[in-house]
Amino acid sequence: MTGHDRFLSKAAQGMQGSAIRRMGALLARQHGLISFAPGYPALDTFPAEALQDIAHALLSGSDRYVLQYGPTRGYRPLLEVIAELMAGRGAPTSLERLLVTTGSQQGLDLVARVLLDPGDAVLVEKPTYTGAIMAFRNVQAYLAGVEQGRDGFELGALDAVYARLAAEGRRVRVLYVVPNFQNPTGLLIGRERRLALLEWATRRDVLIVEDDPYRELYFEGAATEEDVRPLRADDRDERVVYLSSFSKTLAPGFRVAWVDAPEALTAKFELAKQAADMCTGTFDQRIVHEVARTGLLARQLPLLRSHYRDKCHVMREALHRELGDLVTWSEPRGGFFLWARLPDTLDADHLIERAVRHGVVYVAGEAFFADDRQETHEGRNLMRLAFSAPSHDRIREGVSRLAAAIREELSAVSSPSPAAPPAR
């Protein structure tokens, strides 16, 4: 060890940065770069004027508590609004089950710290969300990837991985799943598969952590309310810890999200949160409450679904036009992402350098695969393309730049290297 490394905990020594955040830093440094990397909501969807009015009204009143510390559980009127939202999703709840978190990422961190000891196993999708990988690895959990089919987890593979871990003496605590328009693949898990996962979790005595930030962003005509019904709505055995957020439907800068879990677990999450930040920003919570109370949030949702459906269509058309002979991609029914497969001869991580020279960036697929058994280098020729933030014109231009980089890279890897000079 060198410098201050000798002071680090074992957990800190194993911490890894986010590949998505690294791409964000690159974007900040390089002017003119078109980014398909971070899954940011579109700036022009934020209801800025309405938010201005709400903020002004809150700060102009006599209630100075809008700027004071608040309860760790959250602002009670907001918790009541969240309970209404949960009921609307088919999952009636109580205030005792709810906790407001500072973004869904804090929810994942709380889940990891409360439920997992070092070495405990977490079953995750292959591929899965990088933020979950970081949260679980930060508490030294053991990650075991499970193959997905077109309809979600392959149940045979899921049970086989569980049986292997049990035979190794590992305690399998958690199954982590993003059922609606998964990050990174855009996959929507089918209704029968959701019910089967609940049955499996009960049989194997495992908790399901259901991460559901994209639920409201289904594309009209491609998916329905019933298609995005949470696993939590059919949980009869208190197996599901449910996470959701206002980041994708209102604005991520507020950092307001929530956890819904069995009361005993929520009480522990509350204690863990007290050690982290005491409470989520009171002013942010008050704004989100007003947005929901006045009906602004409900009015936003149809606009968002149309907005992101159109952007997805623009990206798919551009990919078909520019790369239809070389690249395949998912056909998402909602959310922010396309999951694209390059020719087998290409390495998506290696390609990033060339893509940046052409003025475009994405996230290489390898970052989304987690399996602690071995270094598999899965996802080598896969890439996640986020269509949510760029304009239609920037999407078209970005895909054109990406196509140029891919064709150039193909030419480079297919050209024979110069022969070495004969030995003298």
Side-chain angles (χ1 to χ4, degrees):
M1 290 188 180
T2 60
H4 289 80
D5 288 354
R6 67 187 184 278
F7 296 108
L8 296 177
S9 67
K10 290 182 179 179
Q13 290 171 26
M15 288 179 179
Q16 299 176 357
S18 164
I20 300 169
R21 287 285 159 178
R22 287 197 296 272
M23 293 300 102
L26 180 65
L27 180 63
R29 292 195 304 268
Q30 184 150 336
H31 181 71
L33 196 65
I34 295 175
S35 179
F36 297 144
Y40 289 174
L43 292 173
D44 54 348
T45 66
F46 300 162
E49 290 186 5
L51 292 174
Q52 240 179 357
D53 292 341
I54 289 170
H56 183 267
L58 286 172
L59 292 173
S60 298
S62 59
D63 185 0
R64 296 298 180 185
Y65 281 95
V66 299
L67 299 176
Q68 186 58 278
Y69 289 113
T72 302
R73 281 289 179 112
Y75 178 53
R76 185 181 178 92
L78 177 60
L79 289 170
E80 292 170 350
V81 162
I82 291 170
E84 292 174 6
L85 289 174
M86 291 296 296
R89 296 179 182 189
T93 190
S94 66
L95 299 191
E96 291 72 26
R97 293 178 55 99
L98 296 175
L99 173 70
V100 173
T101 60
T102 306
S104 280
Q105 191 62 38
Q106 184 181 62
L108 286 171
D109 177 70
L110 298 177
V111 164
R113 288 195 285 127
V114 168
L115 299 182
L116 300 170
D117 289 322
D120 282 347
V122 180
L123 301 171
V124 298
E125 299 156 310
K126 289 172 58 175
T128 193
Y129 170 50
T130 58
I133 294 172
M134 288 193 299
F136 298 139
R137 283 198 169 141
N138 280 356
V139 297
Q140 303 178 69
Y142 181 93
L143 300 185
V146 181
E147 297 290 346
Q148 293 186 93
R150 295 185 62 176
D151 206 30
F153 276 118
E154 293 290 355
L155 290 176
L158 178 64
D159 212 50
V161 172
Y162 175 91
R164 174 180 63 79
L165 293 168
E168 293 173 359
R170 291 197 180 273
R171 182 168 54 179
V172 183
R173 286 290 192 86
V174 166
L175 169 67
Y176 172 75
V177 61
V178 185
N180 291 322
F181 321 119
Q182 190 229 24
N183 180 358
T185 64
L187 178 72
L188 177 65
I189 295 181
R191 169 85 169 137
E192 290 185 8
R193 187 64 51 88
R194 295 177 190 229
L195 296 175
L197 286 174
L198 287 167
E199 185 279 328
W200 180 89
T202 296
R203 178 162 48 87
R204 290 301 197 180
D205 195 22
V206 171
L207 286 175
I208 295 177
V209 175
E210 180 179 14
D211 198 357
D212 198 17
Y214 304 101
R215 186 260 181 199
E216 300 289 2
L217 302 180
Y218 57 88
F219 302 155
E220 299 285 0
T224 66
E225 287 273 347
E226 187 61 24
D227 291 326
V228 297
R229 180 180 171 88
L231 280 77
R232 163 70 178 82
D234 295 298
D235 178 20
R236 303 291 177 261
D237 196 33
E238 295 208 314
R239 288 284 158 187
V240 177
V241 175
Y242 181 84
L243 290 76
S244 196
S245 173
F246 294 99
S247 290
K248 306 302 187 292
T249 53
L250 183 55
F254 289 118
R255 311 309 302 129
V256 177
W258 73 92
V259 175
D260 173 277
E263 292 180 21
L265 295 182
T266 300
K268 293 296 185 182
F269 296 149
E270 180 182 11
L271 295 178
K273 180 175 169 63
Q274 287 174 2
D277 65 0
M278 297 299 291
C279 63
T280 297
T282 304
F283 186 51
D284 290 355
Q285 291 187 67
R286 296 287 289 265
I287 290 178
V288 173
H289 168 252
E290 288 299 307
V291 167
R293 184 188 66 81
T294 59
L296 175 59
L297 181 62
R299 294 192 296 274
Q300 278 281 102
L301 297 180
L303 303 176
L304 295 176
R305 291 166 190 149
S306 175
H307 186 92
Y308 294 122
R309 179 199 62 204
D310 292 348
K311 284 192 171 183
C312 180
H313 179 70
V314 168
M315 178 169 275
R316 288 164 49 196
E317 277 197 333
L319 286 168
H320 182 76
R321 181 175 61 253
E322 301 281 354
L323 287 164
D325 57 331
L326 292 175
V327 174
T328 58
W329 55 89
S330 61
E331 300 287 338
R333 298 161 64 188
F336 283 179
F337 308 109
L338 284 179
W339 188 235
R341 182 179 296 275
L342 296 164
D344 291 341
T345 54
L346 296 190
D347 184 314
D349 192 51
H350 185 269
L351 175 65
I352 286 176
E353 183 177 349
R354 191 182 299 276
V356 169
R357 291 201 297 269
H358 281 268
V360 65
V361 71
Y362 55 87
V363 183
E366 202 168 334
F368 299 94
F369 286 84
D371 194 324
D372 289 336
R373 281 180 298 172
Q374 56 188 354
E375 290 291 332
T376 60
H377 300 292
E378 291 178 283
R380 189 185 64 84
N381 68 325
L382 293 165
M383 59 172 63
R384 192 193 75 175
L385 303 175
F387 52 77
S388 52
S391 68
H392 291 193
D393 287 343
R394 296 278 282 178
I395 291 172
R396 295 185 186 99
E397 175 61 24
V399 171
S400 177
R401 295 179 186 185
L402 180 61
I406 290 172
R407 295 186 187 281
E408 198 174 277
E409 184 79 357
L410 276 172
S411 178
V413 300
S414 63
S415 300
S417 58
R424 293 185 182 273

